[in-house]
Amino acid sequence: ITPASDIFSALCTSQRWTKTGVLQKHDQELLESLICFMKHLVFVNRVLSSDLLNILASFCAARQDTDMPCPMVTETILSIANNFRMTLSIADWEREKVFKLLESSGLLAQAGPSMHYAT
């Protein structure tokens, strides 16, 4: 989790990401790998004790001031959030608690406005 957090923290200020919305292939693959990892309760528990959700929200927010959509990133972030939600639901977390957690991280607020680009 720490290497992923470090990479996405660095990308928040990357000129390439903030100006063009283009990720290098290995960064995109790392982001997409989080979709699968979020299906595992052990990983989700580690995420809960880290700042990864907030960092992903900051990563998305770095692109909010531009007019260039990033549908691949938006779809990936929404899939990450959905798998996170489903894993915690299977672990008997209350739905409201899970959504409050996602909202407090800022992740839903960042991916939500970009949804119309993903269609």
Side-chain angles (χ1 to χ4, degrees), residues 16 22-32:
R16 182 176 182 162
V22 175
L23 289 176
Q24 292 183 24
K25 184 176 173 126
H26 61 271
D27 293 328
Q28 181 68 34
E29 288 172 353
L30 175 63
L31 186 63
E32 289 172 0

Side-chain angles (χ1 to χ4, degrees), residues 12-79:
C12 289
T13 58
S14 161
Q15 290 282 332
R16 182 176 182 162
W17 169 246
T18 58
K19 300 290 184 199
T20 67
V22 175
L23 289 176
Q24 292 183 24
K25 184 176 173 126
H26 61 271
D27 293 328
Q28 181 68 34
E29 288 172 353
L30 175 63
L31 186 63
E32 289 172 0
S33 74
L34 294 176
I35 295 171
C36 294
F37 283 123
M38 288 297 184
K39 293 179 180 180
H40 302 281
L41 186 57
V42 171
F43 186 82
V44 169
N45 283 331
R46 299 272 322 262
V47 167
L48 290 170
S49 64
S50 75
D51 204 26
L52 183 61
L53 294 179
N54 293 328
I55 291 169
L56 289 174
S58 297
F59 166 72
C60 292
R63 290 285 302 143
Q64 289 296 346
D65 292 336
T66 65
D67 294 331
M68 297 179 68
C70 305
M72 248 165 108
V73 172
T74 300
E75 290 173 11
T76 302
I77 292 292
L78 291 173
S79 294

